[in-house]
Amino acid sequence: MKKWAKVKHICSRIEQYVCALLYPHAATCPLCGEMRKVDGYYALCPDCMDKLEEMQVPSAACNKCLSPVRRGQGCNMCRSGRMKSIDACFSPFCYRNEVRRLVHQFKFDGNSSYIRYLSFKMAEALPDREWDFLVPVPLSRERMWDRGVNQARLLAVALSQRTNIPVLDALERTVNRKPQSATPMEKRAENVKGVFRCIGTLDGLRILLIDDVRTTGSTAQACATEMKKAGARRVGLCTLAVVYRDPKKFRKNEKKQKFIRSSKILHTNRLK
């Protein structure tokens, strides 16, 4: 299985190289395949970038973990303590449709032609730049061999170039276990227990953990716990996308929040 994964990765790289020769300056959009309309800098066509803009994280999300919230209540993730070691979360997109395809191409097919666009959107979602280091979630040696690259580190390096926050490889995997994507939701926290180890001390540092997608938060929680044991003062999480089990709930909540805000403004104006 690993052999075929490596062959697939090599074939994908060859395909990218051939396309680069035939269609220079990223002339073919990796999402829709459209030619001659691609933005030469971001390597995506305007139509696809417009679609991606529609999948941004809603303003009605929890300020701490970006999960769904109800009026007057905290989100389920914060109340359950599943990400108690994470102090803040940042992410530009919901993980669905075009965003899902973009992440799959980047993560499993080795297509990093649009890394500039990804890092731009992550930087845009990161209002707080007062972090000492960007720390990518590490891969095991076996998975690194299969993929050929750590996509979290690629994102960290690209984000570092935009924010001037240096990258620090402060974590390592001590055990190679079943991928989180192939593990049932309820077993993911157990699957990453004892997997990560912090290299050296992080006394008083503000660390921003970098990963591609946040699903249950188990991986981020495991990493943050180890870094706080190593002395980190604050640990945040910045991902390319966040998985929501019910995207409709977010859109509904966002409409409610807008209605409430407009009602308050109208009521204030009447009092005046």
Side-chain angles (χ1 to χ4, degrees):
M1 189 69 180
K2 291 182 179 180
K3 178 182 176 182
W4 287 112
K6 189 65 177 178
V7 170
K8 181 182 177 182
H9 176 73
I10 292 172
C11 290
S12 176
R13 288 297 178 88
I14 293 172
E15 181 183 5
Q16 290 175 41
Y17 179 73
V18 172
C19 286
L21 289 176
L22 295 176
Y23 309 110
H25 307 299
T28 304
C29 178
L31 276 180
C32 66
E34 182 64 42
M35 296 166 55
R36 298 181 299 277
K37 287 176 59 179
V38 177
D39 184 298
Y41 187 78
Y42 290 132
L44 291 166
C45 74
D47 292 342
C48 284
M49 285 194 283
D50 287 342
K51 289 179 182 178
L52 291 169
E53 289 292 326
E54 296 173 1
M55 295 174 202
Q56 291 190 7
V57 172
S59 59
C62 171
N63 291 331
K64 182 180 178 182
C65 70
L66 303 181
S67 296
V69 291
R70 292 182 179 179
R71 186 184 177 191
Q73 300 180 17
C75 71
N76 290 333
M77 186 167 287
C78 287
R79 285 185 297 186
S80 66
R82 280 182 286 167
M83 290 180 65
K84 59 184 178 182
S85 296
I86 299 291
D87 298 299
C89 285
F90 310 95
S91 186
F93 297 119
C94 298
Y95 184 68
R96 54 192 175 90
N97 302 339
E98 279 80 5
V99 175
R100 182 194 294 267
R101 289 170 55 198
L102 202 69
V103 171
H104 273 239
Q105 287 184 19
F106 174 64
K107 188 172 183 176
F108 301 112
D109 297 337
N111 188 351
S112 58
S113 59
Y114 37 78
I115 188 72
R116 288 174 176 172
Y117 177 77
L118 303 184
S119 63
F120 167 70
K121 297 308 294 184
M122 289 177 73
E124 195 176 56
L126 187 64
D128 181 7
R129 303 293 173 87
E130 296 181 358
W131 301 92
D132 296 308
F133 290 102
L134 305 178
V135 175
V137 173
L139 289 178
S140 64
R141 290 182 181 180
E142 291 82 358
R143 206 149 304 140
M144 187 72 177
W145 172 256
D146 287 344
R147 294 183 187 173
V149 68
N150 180 359
Q151 72 284 345
R153 197 176 195 287
L154 281 181
L155 290 172
V157 171
L159 186 59
S160 176
Q161 292 171 352
R162 290 190 176 275
T163 61
N164 294 320
I165 304 171
V167 177
L168 177 67
D169 293 306
L171 293 168
E172 66 177 358
R173 281 184 184 257
T174 58
V175 183
N176 181 38
R177 289 186 182 164
K178 189 177 181 180
Q180 288 289 80
S181 57
T183 305
M185 295 282 187
E186 64 276 9
K187 295 183 179 179
R188 291 191 175 187
E190 187 66 30
N191 191 50
V192 290
K193 275 187 178 179
V195 167
F196 301 101
R197 181 174 64 189
C198 202
I199 305 169
T201 60
L202 302 171
D203 293 339
L205 295 177
R206 297 161 298 180
I207 302 296
L208 187 62
L209 188 67
I210 306 297
D211 205 0
D212 51 3
V213 179
R214 193 226 77 191
T215 308
T216 63
S218 301
T219 300
Q221 170 63 18
C223 291
T225 299
E226 290 302 310
M227 289 192 287
K228 286 199 168 179
K229 285 180 183 177
R233 174 160 58 97
R234 190 167 181 242
V235 178
L237 173 66
C238 186
T239 61
L240 176 60
V242 178
V243 174
Y244 298 131
R245 294 188 180 182
D246 186 10
K248 291 181 181 179
K249 184 188 292 185
F250 278 84
R251 290 196 293 271
K252 188 177 180 181
N253 284 348
E254 190 171 38
K255 288 180 181 178
K256 282 185 178 179
Q257 295 292 342
K258 287 181 179 178
F259 177 75
I260 291 168
R261 286 195 295 269
S262 61
S263 297
K264 286 182 178 179
I265 293 171
L266 182 62
H267 180 67
T268 303
N269 291 336
R270 284 179 177 176
L271 290 176
K272 290 179 179 179

